Amino acid sequence: MLNSFSRVGYRLSNNIIYRSMSSTNSKGRVEQIIENKLRDSFSPSHLEVLNESYMHSVPKGSETHFKVVVVSDMFKGKSLIEQHRMVNNTLSEQLSSGVHALSVKTATVESWAKNSSVQPSPSCLGGMKNEKK
Amino acid sequence: MSVGYTGRFLVGGLHSTNIVRENGVRSFSRYYSSVKDEYQKKIADQVKEFPCVLYMKGTPERPMCGFSNTVIRILEAEGATFKSHNVLEDDDLRENIKSFSNWPTIPQVYIKGEFVGGADIMMNMYKTGELSKMLEDAGVVEKQ
């Protein structure tokens, strides 16, 4: 009981922050799972999970397009493609069940301190309308 | 695009006979695994057909996804010639390219037959100059 109450409190406080940041007004279930999985796998010093689905031709509140920014020293000594594969593997379940696009930005604590720029996502060109799933 | 449907229908035709005759589940799985094998072979050949091969949504003239468009713009900026395949025209290709490279998203770029990355990695390699070197090495751009 107490647990469920504190959860509601957590969600509410998040709503307030996120409302000003994105067009969806609550953190989605998938978004929360992605955040938890990345936190568990990489113990990141900085983590951003952005639901960018609203930028695409999908119904309101969809959780199909995400961008993640993961800063962790677990990426040290790994090539960029290896770093991205580590993130993809962590989220493989979500990627095979509904998450349609995942933009990944990885960095080590050191490289993030030097350059914390994140490439903005490209605008949608309507491809989802032409797809069967 | 350059992916023909003929082979696929041939396989489908042969196996649809089995679906009628045999236990449904088993025949269906056999049908899908044969399509999978066929596509994995086809892709293995395709990525070697040209030094730079791109799997994308839409065509270079009309990209249907922002990420595919990003890769097109990068390759254009590099002055690279490449061959592209439109996965929106072929659902089997779209699914099989993902398992081929063990990479969950499209676009996908292959240089000299090797998977290089999608839009994020291409943008990164474009900025660092690594991509220029790789494309020059593959012989798809004029050396400056």
Side-chain angles (χ1 to χ4, degrees), chain A residues 5 12-13 15 37 42 45-46 49 51 64 73 83 95 100 106 113 116 131:
Chain A
F5 267 124
L12 281 177
S13 65
N15 283 354
K37 285 201 163 184
F42 298 104
S45 66
H46 177 84
V49 178
N51 182 355
T64 49
D73 275 343
Q83 296 177 13
L95 281 159
H100 169 92
T106 51
S116 61
E131 291 174 28

Side-chain angles (χ1 to χ4, degrees), chain B residues 62-129:
Chain B
R62 193 153 183 266
M64 295 302 286
C65 150
F67 297 100
S68 291
N69 185 50
T70 300
V71 172
I72 290 290
R73 298 291 157 250
I74 291 170
L75 290 173
E76 270 179 7
E78 294 280 4
T81 44
F82 57 92
K83 185 164 184 160
S84 73
H85 298 279
N86 181 3
V87 302
L88 294 181
E89 285 185 349
D90 187 340
D91 275 348
D92 289 322
L93 177 66
R94 185 177 164 196
E95 284 318 304
N96 277 286
I97 193 67
K98 294 177 188 174
S99 44
F100 181 79
S101 52
N102 184 28
W103 193 261
T105 49
I106 288 151
Q108 295 189 8
V109 178
Y110 293 77
I111 296 176
K112 286 168 93 177
E114 296 288 322
F115 174 64
V116 177
D120 292 322
I121 289 180
M122 289 293 280
M123 181 54 88
N124 192 288
M125 287 172 61
Y126 171 65
K127 284 181 177 165
T128 61

Side-chain angles (χ1 to χ4, degrees), chain B residues 1-64:
Chain B
M1 244 171 118
S2 67
V3 179
Y5 272 86
T6 334
R8 186 187 161 205
F9 284 137
L10 242 178
V11 172
L14 283 173
H15 285 263
S16 56
T17 330
N18 291 347
I19 290 164
V20 180
R21 236 191 280 142
E22 291 175 29
N23 169 293
V25 178
R26 204 171 145 223
S27 315
F28 270 118
S29 74
R30 190 181 292 176
Y31 165 75
Y32 283 115
S33 71
S34 70
V35 170
K36 191 175 180 195
D37 289 349
E38 185 202 331
Y39 268 83
Q40 293 297 316
K41 277 183 208 135
K42 189 188 275 187
I43 292 166
D45 292 338
Q46 257 176 12
V47 298
K48 290 182 199 125
E49 267 171 15
F50 201 76
C52 180
V53 179
L54 166 66
Y55 291 84
M56 65 177 291
K57 292 182 180 176
T59 61
E61 297 73 32
R62 193 153 183 266
M64 295 302 286

